[in-house]
Structure formats: C-alpha cells, structure tokens
C-alpha cells in the first residue's frame, strides 16, 4: 500500500522504538522523510533502513525541547522537500518515581521533552501544515487515560499532549488541518526496559496497565500512524486512539 506517495513527513524520536517503526512504515508507503532524534547513531541507522525501503530521507540530530533546534529542523525539511504534510511527534522520555520523591528538575525535564517538545515542533510546523492541509500526530499514552502509579510527570505530560491535540483540532480544523493523538500501551521498546523502577514499588498497582493479551512490538503502532497521515484518516480529527491490546477496554 502506498498511501503517502508525494507526502513529506517529519518524525521525532525516530532513532528507535515506535518512531523507527513509524519511519519504516511511512517510507514503505511512499513518504519523503525528515527524521529527528537526539540519538545520532540510531537515527543514522533508521535513515539507512528507510532509504533501503525506497524513501527519500534526510536526518538531523534535534533536541525537541530546544526552540532553536526545532525551528531549524522544520526549516530544513521545507528547504529540502519544498513542503510539509505530516508532523509525527514521538520523542519522549519516561521517569518512574514515588511522587513524593520526584525532584523538580526531573519533573521539568520530562515536561520539557514530552509536552514542550510537542508544542515547539508543532508551532514551527503549523504554517507549512496549514499550507498543505496536513496533519499532526502526537503521542499520548494510556497513562493519560487511567492512573499510572509512579509516573506523575510522564502521565501529566501525556494528558497535556491529549488536550493540546484537541485544541489544535478545533482551532485549525476549518482551515483544513487535522490533529490526532495515539495512546500506546505495553509496546515492547527500550523505554520500558530502560526505566529505573523506584525502590519499594508495589507491583500490584501497575497491573491495570498490563494488556489483556500480551505486549506487542512498535510495528503495531506504525500502521495506525500511517493511516492517520493518509487520506484514509481524512475525517478523523481530534481523536486519541489507544493501541494497548485492550488494556483499558
Ligand atoms: N512503549 C510503550 O509502551 C509506550 C506507551 C505509551 C506511550 N509511549 C510513547 O511512545 C513514544 C516512543 O516511545 P518508545 O517506547 O518508542 O521509546 P524509545 O525510548 O524507544 O524511543 C523514544 C525516542 O525518543 C528520543 N528522544 C528522547 N528525548 C528526546 C529529545 N529531547 N529530542 C528528540 N528525541 C528524543 C530517544 O532518543 C528515543 O529514540 C514516547 O513518546 C513514549 O512516551 C510508549
């Protein structure tokens, strides 16, 4: 299926995990891509893999929490490809802590990447997306929809991303822009395995965030993102779609 032929997309957080899987899928569906991440090595590998799938692809290290870098990244995409159709905000970090021990610095860091990063990328991309009648796809989480213990900062950012997405949908919908969010849950990536679990945590509390069947890989999210970016998603706006194996069904 080549639903994204002639389309240009930016994907943040594309050095690994869900971002990399989305890059693969969007490349296979014909999109030209600008890939962004702070992890240079993984980013280069993703770009190579997308080229092998026939996509025109450029990549650039970019910290999404830095306004200068996000502006420069969007400008680079438009300069190279002449247009922008889709912004996929996937970059994110997770911190698990007892809330009473969560330091302000850590709280601010999680907000800066997950929430402010989504805002900065979107703000820079908006003029170009409005020109093309394009769309924004943001990454929320099941933690925004049902309490996730030890994830105070993370869950707050993901709920913020959800609300931000709905704002965009109604504010710009009449001008032809769509904004949607995805809410993954239990996707097997480095994020879960890398997270430092807080000492003395109660495992029984996190059971409600477990899928009813089993965890699955990031490719299970990529098909949804490609659909939202395509004409198949033309009438979907302001939605937040769970990809969580039924965890919150
Ligand atoms: N894995 C899951 O089950 C799950 C569930 C809910 C939501 N999510 C969300 O999906 C997104 C992708 O997560 P993942 O599971 O693939 O994890 P991941 O750690 O494999 O990927 C996250 C990517 O974001 C990049 N990144 C981190 N900080 C950045 C910054 N400041 N600027 C640019 N890039 C940065 C990382 O280098 C990494 O490549 C995240 O927003 C995450 O919160 C994942």
């Amino acid at each position: 299926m080549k639903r994204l032929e002639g389309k240009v997309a930016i994907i943040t957080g594309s050095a690994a995990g869900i971002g990399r899987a989305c890059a693969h899928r969007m490349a296979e569906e014909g999109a030209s891509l600008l890939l962004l991440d702070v992890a240079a090595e993984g980013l280069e590998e993703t770009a190579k893999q997308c080229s092998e799938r026939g996509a025109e692809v450029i990549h650039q290290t970019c910290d999404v929490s830095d306004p200068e870098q996000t502006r420069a990244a969007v400008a680079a995409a438009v300069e190279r490809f002449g247009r922008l159709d889709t912004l996929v905000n996937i970059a994110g970090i997770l911190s698990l802590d007892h809330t009473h021990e969560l330091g302000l610095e850590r709280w601010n860091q999680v907000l800066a990447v997950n929430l402010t990063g989504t805002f900065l990328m979107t703000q820079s991309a908006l003029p170009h997306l409005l020109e093309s009648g394009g769309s924004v796809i943001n990454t929320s989480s099941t933690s925004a929809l049902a309490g996730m213990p030890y994830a105070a900062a993370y869950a707050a950012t993901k709920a913020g991303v959800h609300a931000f997405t709905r704002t965009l949908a109604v504010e710009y919908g009449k001008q032809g822009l769509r904004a949607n969010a995805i809410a993954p849950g239990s996707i097997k990536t480095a994020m879960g395995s890398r997270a430092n679990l807080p000492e003395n945590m109660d495992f029984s509390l996190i059971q409600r965030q477990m899928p009813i069947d089993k965890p699955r890989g990031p490719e299970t999210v990529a098909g949804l993102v490609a659909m939202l970016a395509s004409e198949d998603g033309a009438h979907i706006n302001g939605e937040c779609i769970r990809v969580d194996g039924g965890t919150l069904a």
Side-chain angles (χ1 to χ4, degrees):
M1 214 177 340
K2 290 258 186 189
R3 293 178 293 190
L4 304 177
E5 207 92 64
K7 304 253 187 216
V8 176
I10 296 177
I11 310 176
T12 74
S14 44
I18 294 171
R20 172 177 280 178
C22 290
H24 289 169
R25 181 62 183 262
M26 293 181 81
E28 285 160 7
E29 295 226 21
S32 300
L33 301 171
L34 168 62
L35 305 178
L36 304 175
D37 204 294
V38 285
E41 213 174 297
L43 193 59
E44 190 154 350
E45 184 60 27
T46 308
K48 187 165 153 270
Q49 293 163 350
C50 290
S51 293
E52 287 163 3
R53 286 164 166 80
E56 267 197 79
V57 51
I58 54 174
H59 62 284
Q60 189 161 312
T61 52
C62 172
D63 178 346
V64 296
S65 67
D66 181 320
E68 290 300 320
Q69 293 185 37
T70 51
R71 266 196 292 273
V74 171
V78 176
E79 192 183 334
R80 171 68 178 78
F81 298 116
R83 58 183 290 132
L84 180 63
D85 300 279
T86 310
L87 170 65
V88 191
N89 285 309
I90 299 184
I93 53 173
L94 169 68
S95 181
L96 294 174
D97 316 86
H98 293 282
T99 303
H100 65 279
E101 293 170 353
L102 174 61
L104 181 59
E105 200 179 322
R106 189 68 182 144
W107 167 271
N108 283 336
Q109 187 187 7
V110 176
L111 261 70
V113 177
N114 296 4
L115 186 55
T116 307
T118 298
F119 160 69
L120 290 173
M121 283 301 306
T122 304
Q123 195 178 49
S124 286
L126 268 174
H128 308 289
L129 295 172
L130 286 168
E131 208 174 313
S132 64
S135 87
V136 180
I137 301 161
N138 291 328
T139 306
S140 181
S141 160
T142 49
S143 65
L145 305 170
M148 180 174 173
Y150 315 116
Y154 180 79
T157 65
K158 294 303 184 176
V161 165
H162 189 174
F164 176 63
T165 305
R166 292 167 71 169
T167 294
L168 293 173
V170 296
E171 189 171 333
Y172 296 104
K174 270 195 183 175
Q175 296 175 60
L177 181 116
R178 294 183 299 113
N180 291 290
I182 55 167
S186 304
I187 305 296
K188 282 188 284 181
T189 66
M191 180 174 276
S193 56
R194 221 175 21 222
N196 290 320
L197 301 173
E199 272 178 37
N200 306 318
M201 68 178 278
D202 179 348
F203 276 97
S204 72
L205 293 182
I206 59 171
Q207 273 165 355
R208 63 189 286 182
Q209 293 280 345
M210 301 301 225
I212 54 174
D213 58 349
K214 60 181 180 191
R216 290 183 197 268
E219 65 287 348
T220 54
V221 181
L224 170 63
V225 169
M227 183 278 282
L228 288 172
S230 78
E231 272 306 295
D232 286 343
H235 205 44
I236 305 174
N237 190 22
E239 191 52 89
C240 180
I241 302 175
R242 286 189 293 112
V243 189
D244 68 348
T247 304
L248 300 187

